[in-house]
Amino acid sequence: QVQLVESGGGSVQSGGSLRLSCVASGYTFSRNAMAWFRQAPGKEREGVAAIDSDGSADYADSVKGRFTISQDNAKNTLYLQMKSLKPEDTAMYYCAAGHPWGAWYRVAGLLARFAYWGQGTQVTVSS
C-alpha cells in the first residue's frame, strides 16, 4: 500500500524559507513523476512543481525562481525548497505520486497522471 507523508510546514514571515519533505513507502520514485500541489481555502488545488522520471522539473509561474523541487531516490523522499515566501504562498501543501492509471494533472509544462496523495502540511506566510 502506497503512503505519502509530508512534513516541514510551518509559519514564517514574508521573505522566509521552508523546506517541505514527502516520504513515500511502497513506491519507487524513479519510475514515475512526483509533484507538489497546494490548496488555499476557497480555491482549487494548484500544481506548484513537478519532477518527471527523467529528472526534468517544471514550476508554476507564481513560484519560478523561488521554489526548487528535488528527490532522493535512495531515501524515497521528495523535497520542495521554498525561498522568498510570500503571503500568497499560504496554503496546505500536498505531495502526489504518479501512476499509469491515475488521473491526469498538469503542473506547469508537465502533464502526468497522479494516483497517490499525502495528507498535507500547512504553510502560513505572514506579512
Side-chain angles (χ1 to χ4, degrees):
Q1 189 75 19
V2 175
Q3 290 187 310
L4 305 176
V5 180
E6 302 99 332
S7 63
S11 298
V12 298
Q13 294 185 336
S14 295
S17 299
L18 286 172
R19 189 174 79 157
L20 307 184
S21 299
C22 174
V23 180
S25 61
Y27 188 84
T28 302
F29 277 28
S30 62
R31 298 178 181 176
N32 299 281
M34 298 288 294
W36 287 97
F37 291 78
R38 67 186 181 186
Q39 187 169 25
K43 296 184 178 180
E44 295 182 7
R45 186 165 296 189
E46 171 192 28
V48 175
I51 184 166
D52 207 348
S53 58
D54 63 0
S56 61
D58 285 278
Y59 302 90
D61 289 341
S62 60
V63 306
K64 283 184 178 178
R66 300 188 298 119
F67 291 11
T68 302
I69 187 171
S70 62
Q71 63 186 44
D72 186 330
N73 292 332
K75 297 180 179 179
N76 276 353
T77 302
L78 180 73
Y79 302 97
L80 184 67
Q81 179 66 56
M82 306 184 294
K83 300 184 292 185
S84 301
L85 284 163
K86 305 174 181 180
E88 304 92 274
D89 296 318
T90 296
M92 185 72 75
Y93 284 70
Y94 303 88
C95 64
H99 190 279
W101 303 109
W104 286 100
Y105 293 87
R106 186 172 184 176
V107 183
L110 178 65
L111 184 64
R113 308 181 76 167
F114 298 98
Y116 308 110
W117 298 83
Q119 295 301 304
T121 184
Q122 179 67 39
V123 172
T124 302
V125 185
S126 61
S127 300

